Amino acid sequence: MNATTVPANLYAAVQKRRNRGLAGLYLVVAAFLVVYAVLFPGLLSVGGFSKFTQNWFPLALVTMAQALMMLNGGISLAIGPLVSLGAVIAAVTMGGTLGALGGLLAVSATGLFIGAVTGGIVAYLRLPAIIVTLAGSFIITGVALILLPRPGGYVPEWFSDLLAGHTPVAFGLLVLLLIGWKLYLATPLGVGIYAAGNNPVGAFRSGVPVERVKVFAFALSGLLAMLAGLFVAAQTGSGDPVIGTPFTLNSIAGAVLGGVAFLGGKGTMRGVICGSLLLSVMINVMFFLGFPPVAQYVAQGLIIVGAVAIPQLTSQWRTRP
């Protein structure tokens, strides 16, 4: 056996397993994008593409944050409050001496700190992530309301123009994040994330630092959610202590649509990005088709149920004797 071909074959086999079931998602996303481009031809212009990706970008970030939790076999109910807190901290710090850079550092450090503390509680105290993040969501919301009781604060105009102007900066940032994710998967902590989520006991016996993997994943998740809040603050030009509320359930929906398993260890970040893109473009298409808000919620729910149920039914049908 040629030693150089084994890793390549192994890599291809792993990628094939992780991409299983995503072909349908890619086709559905492509179909929705075509319909959207027909309904809104401006999408194909630089300005239209920039605005679309700016509206999609925060959802993509929080879906990635939620996917990190789910790959570890947990789920976070604090994603939305973290988005709100990120927007609030950005809005109350950017008017200070250090300006936008100080706000960016404050948001990033807070996200990493909250995520690491939450991950430490889950990993070392063996508490369920859903319970810890539920409790954390109340605390984070309270802190956001103390810092900024009502929408306001200050975001520099140039900063808003940079992130939410007429150039596709958001799309470029998303590409950089995906490259960063690939680099992270090449590190020992990244390699262990799938093993720790799929079979923590087996991973521990194989030498994977399960607790550290979990803490680092939580910290990254907190960072992504808080940065989504910073981006929202740049879009609106202010902070709002409850603006992130819808992101919690939407992040779960996007991750599930992207093929991430609730029990951990299964899913890809490209699938997650596609899942968030499907949610975003679906909402836009239904808006242009004149769907009332209630019908939009019903349609989203049916599509999500179908996206979860169809692969399960197909898998059962294939394994049936």
Side-chain angles (χ1 to χ4, degrees):
M1 182 180 294
N2 187 347
T4 60
T5 62
V6 175
N9 292 336
L10 179 61
Y11 178 80
V14 170
Q15 292 304 315
K16 183 179 179 183
R17 176 177 173 272
R18 289 179 180 172
N19 282 307
R20 191 175 298 160
L22 288 180
L25 173 64
Y26 296 151
L27 289 174
V28 171
V29 170
F32 267 98
L33 283 174
V34 170
V35 172
Y36 184 42
V38 171
L39 294 172
F40 177 57
L43 174 68
L44 303 178
S45 67
V46 174
F49 180 72
S50 300
K51 290 301 175 188
F52 173 71
T53 52
Q54 287 161 17
N55 292 329
W56 165 40
F57 186 63
L59 179 59
L61 283 185
V62 296
T63 308
M64 292 176 74
Q66 190 66 262
L68 275 165
M69 299 292 90
M70 293 171 68
L71 287 174
N72 267 296
I75 197 167
S76 175
L77 298 181
I79 294 290
L82 282 170
V83 173
S84 299
L85 184 62
V88 165
I89 290 178
V92 299
T93 56
M94 287 190 175
T97 307
L98 296 179
L101 177 61
L104 176 61
L105 292 175
V107 168
S108 302
T110 307
L112 286 170
F113 175 74
I114 293 176
V117 170
T118 308
I121 294 172
V122 171
Y124 292 101
L125 299 184
R126 304 287 193 271
L127 295 178
I130 190 170
I131 301 299
V132 176
T133 56
L134 175 62
S137 69
F138 293 117
I139 298 171
I140 295 165
T141 300
V143 172
L145 285 167
I146 291 171
L147 290 174
L148 196 68
R150 58 187 64 83
Y154 169 77
V155 176
E157 191 174 342
W158 68 266
F159 190 73
S160 292
D161 289 340
L162 175 66
L163 293 183
H166 299 289
T167 54
V169 172
F171 184 73
L173 292 174
L174 192 57
V175 172
L176 290 177
L177 279 174
L178 284 173
I179 294 173
W181 172 251
K182 294 297 287 183
L183 295 175
Y184 172 64
L185 287 182
T187 66
L189 292 175
V191 169
I193 192 169
Y194 284 94
N198 185 46
N199 184 358
V201 175
F204 175 76
R205 290 174 177 170
S206 301
V208 175
V210 176
E211 286 82 9
R212 267 189 290 159
V213 167
K214 204 173 282 286
V215 171
F216 206 78
F218 269 79
L220 283 181
S221 176
L223 174 64
L224 289 172
M226 293 279 285
L227 289 178
L230 182 143
F231 190 86
V232 171
Q235 278 182 308
T236 59
S238 63
D240 186 333
V242 294
I243 199 168
T245 303
F247 282 106
T248 299
L249 292 182
N250 283 337
S251 67
I252 298 171
V256 171
L257 282 172
V260 180
F262 274 108
L263 298 179
K266 181 186 174 187
T268 64
M269 210 50 89
R270 51 184 171 271
V272 167
I273 294 295
C274 257
S276 67
L277 176 58
L278 176 57
L279 272 184
S280 184
V281 73
M282 190 169 61
I283 292 170
N284 283 296
V285 167
M286 285 191 287
F287 172 78
F288 276 100
L289 289 176
F291 279 47
V294 174
Q296 292 181 27
Y297 287 124
V298 173
Q300 285 182 55
L302 291 175
I303 290 172
I304 291 168
V305 169
V308 175
I310 290 173
Q312 290 293 330
L313 294 174
T314 305
S315 175
Q316 291 177 11
W317 179 76
R318 284 176 178 168
T319 56
R320 186 174 297 172

